Amino acid sequence: NSHYVLHEIQQVLNFEKGIFYTIWELLIRPGKNVRLFITENRSRLVKPILFIIVTSLMYSLVNNFFLIEDGYVKYDEAEKSTTGIILQWIQDHYGYANLIMAIFIAFWAKIFFRKYGYNFYEILILLCFVMGMGMLFLTVFAILQGLTNFGLMQIGGILFIVYCTWAIGQFLTGKNH
């Protein structure tokens, strides 16, 4: 019913332990906060899968409003190739695509970073939070590009890569062995 839906929305937007608090904590101390989420207190931050879906939805809405995709990704193919179909599906379903990509990346990260002792699910949680923040970076730059008509999405992408490197490095190097 409507009471339940409004209660759930309120929980996600809660400033104490909601999405704004999660964004702030992941912006200033991503590795530490993800480690705390995994090891001690799972109620401080929004759940990682919900976070990546909500942030991907935000990006999709902004992207569709400003029609940003046409500015930096085009799918003008005479024939539909498998790659074109996959890329179009990713563009149309960011939330699901990010989860699928996170699973794939977590699998390989588990192999390449096995010396740190994190399991697949811990790495997946990290990636859900980091990729969610990436969606927020891209959302902000999509809004700025939409308002100014300057090509700013590439800057957002670069900042996301820098943030991702910093956040994952902070997460991996902060573990007590």
Side-chain angles (χ1 to χ4, degrees):
N1 62 22
S2 64
H3 181 269
Y4 172 77
V5 171
L6 291 174
H7 182 263
E8 289 299 311
I9 292 171
Q10 181 183 14
Q11 290 290 14
V12 170
L13 297 177
N14 181 352
F15 283 100
E16 269 184 46
K17 297 177 186 173
I19 195 150
F20 296 116
Y21 177 79
T22 299
I23 292 167
W24 176 252
E25 290 297 311
L26 292 175
L27 193 60
I28 60 173
R29 292 179 298 273
K32 178 183 177 187
N33 280 294
V34 174
R35 272 193 322 280
L36 284 172
F37 179 86
I38 290 170
T39 60
E40 294 177 23
N41 187 353
R42 294 193 181 177
S43 65
R44 287 183 64 241
L45 304 177
V46 171
K47 303 298 182 224
I49 292 176
L50 176 63
F51 184 72
I52 196 171
I53 289 173
V54 168
T55 55
S56 297
L57 176 64
M58 291 168 55
Y59 175 73
S60 295
L61 292 173
V62 168
N63 182 29
N64 288 331
F65 181 77
F66 288 115
L67 302 174
I68 299 297
E69 289 297 338
D70 290 339
Y72 70 102
V73 177
K74 274 266 196 231
Y75 301 110
D76 293 334
E77 301 176 24
E79 292 183 34
K80 288 285 187 186
S81 70
T82 304
T83 303
I85 292 169
I86 291 170
L87 292 174
Q88 185 64 48
W89 184 87
I90 289 171
Q91 181 180 348
D92 293 340
H93 304 92
Y94 282 113
Y96 298 124
N98 281 331
L99 285 173
I100 292 168
M101 287 186 283
I103 291 168
F104 179 75
I105 294 167
F107 172 76
W108 288 106
K110 170 66 180 142
I111 292 170
F112 290 125
F113 298 110
R114 66 181 168 268
K115 75 176 186 174
Y116 291 99
Y118 289 104
N119 68 42
F120 171 82
Y121 297 102
E122 292 168 332
I123 294 169
L124 183 61
I125 288 169
L126 169 67
L127 291 173
C128 284
F129 282 127
V130 169
M131 292 172 80
M133 288 299 290
M135 287 286 98
L136 288 177
F137 283 126
L138 294 175
T139 300
V140 168
F141 280 90
I143 291 170
L144 293 173
Q145 181 170 315
L147 294 174
T148 64
N149 290 325
F150 292 122
L152 300 172
M153 290 301 292
Q154 291 78 11
I155 295 170
I158 291 168
L159 283 177
F160 169 55
I161 291 169
V162 169
Y163 172 82
C164 182
T165 303
W166 173 63
I168 292 171
Q170 192 182 79
F171 177 80
L172 292 175
T173 59
K175 184 175 182 181
N176 298 328
H177 294 287

